Amino acid sequence: CGWCSACANTIRRGGSGSISGRRRRRGERKMLTLAAERALRRSTKGGFSPWMRWSAREEYEHDESPGIYILAHLDRPRGGAANPLSSRVIYIGETGRSFQNRWNEFQRSAGGGSGHGGGDTYHSKYRKPRKVPDYLYVSALPIERRKGRNLRNLTKLIVKLYEDKLLYEFLVRYRRLPDCNRVTQILSGN
């Protein structure tokens, strides 16, 4: 596919162009995806949260958790859990730290500062000086932090694999990435 981190690593290494190499990588990606989904089911605190206005993001109860988040331009959100594959989604992102830290970086970048690739793209694409509009909504999927010496990076791995999976599914469904996700962000792993 050329979009997931497994493919990006292969591209960076100069990877095998052989059909058998591609089949093997496809099988490895499928196993990684299944393993990530199993780990994700054990690690999530429920599903994606209901949509919340960007201006109300500080009220989110799992704000110190790592995980996946999505941004969308909505007139009026539907009730219940947010759909990460909605055509209105403009950004799919992840954080290995806390949602609040990453969202603050997005806010700064969307207002013309720096520190968040999606926020930089948002600022240049939507030309909203200094203020994020009222129709920007956010939803989050918190991931339980794994503790222990050998498990420290497992949370980050689970989060990144699931973000890649959502980006891939979005790409397959709409034949494009969300407006504020860039191919270079995906290929570089940022």
Side-chain angles (χ1 to χ4, degrees), residues 101 103-115 120 130:
N101 286 343
W103 293 343
N104 289 338
E105 290 170 356
F106 181 91
Q107 176 72 33
R108 187 172 45 253
S109 294
S114 62
D120 293 342
R130 304 283 174 219

Side-chain angles (χ1 to χ4, degrees), residues 35-88:
E37 285 178 1
R38 270 188 250 117
L40 184 68
R41 279 193 296 273
R42 289 191 304 268
S43 300
T44 58
K45 301 171 182 174
F48 271 94
S49 68
W51 289 111
M52 62 190 127
R53 280 191 190 278
W54 180 252
S55 58
R57 69 190 181 281
E58 292 178 4
E59 298 168 16
Y60 182 58
E61 63 186 77
H62 298 291
D63 65 341
E64 292 302 317
S65 298
I68 311 292
Y69 62 99
I70 51 178
L71 301 173
H73 282 164
L74 303 170
D75 296 326
R76 195 173 10 171
R78 293 183 178 167
N83 176 5
L85 298 177
S86 164
S87 63
R88 305 299 305 262

Side-chain angles (χ1 to χ4, degrees), residues 26-42:
R26 231 180 272 136
E28 289 169 357
R29 275 197 312 273
K30 188 172 182 179
M31 286 180 7
L32 275 174
T33 301
L34 292 172
E37 285 178 1
R38 270 188 250 117
L40 184 68
R41 279 193 296 273
R42 289 191 304 268

Side-chain angles (χ1 to χ4, degrees), residues 111-182:
S114 62
H116 190 290
D120 293 342
T121 305
Y122 189 89
H123 180 74
S124 64
K125 188 167 189 82
Y126 296 106
R127 308 265 186 227
K128 301 293 182 199
R130 304 283 174 219
K131 186 173 185 268
V132 175
D134 288 338
Y135 52 84
L136 180 65
Y137 283 78
V138 63
S139 175
L141 175 67
I143 306 292
E144 182 181 328
R145 286 185 202 273
R146 300 292 180 126
K147 298 200 172 39
R149 199 179 87 195
N150 295 328
L151 299 175
R152 239 175 251 155
N153 291 323
L154 182 60
T155 301
K156 289 181 183 178
L157 177 64
I158 291 168
V159 167
K160 186 63 185 155
L161 284 171
Y162 196 64
E163 178 198 29
D164 286 350
K165 179 182 180 294
L166 288 176
L167 287 167
Y168 176 76
E169 289 174 1
F170 194 96
L171 179 66
V172 167
R173 181 176 287 186
Y174 300 110
R175 296 179 181 242
R176 67 176 178 83
L177 291 171
D179 290 348
C180 294
N181 286 100
R182 298 182 307 215

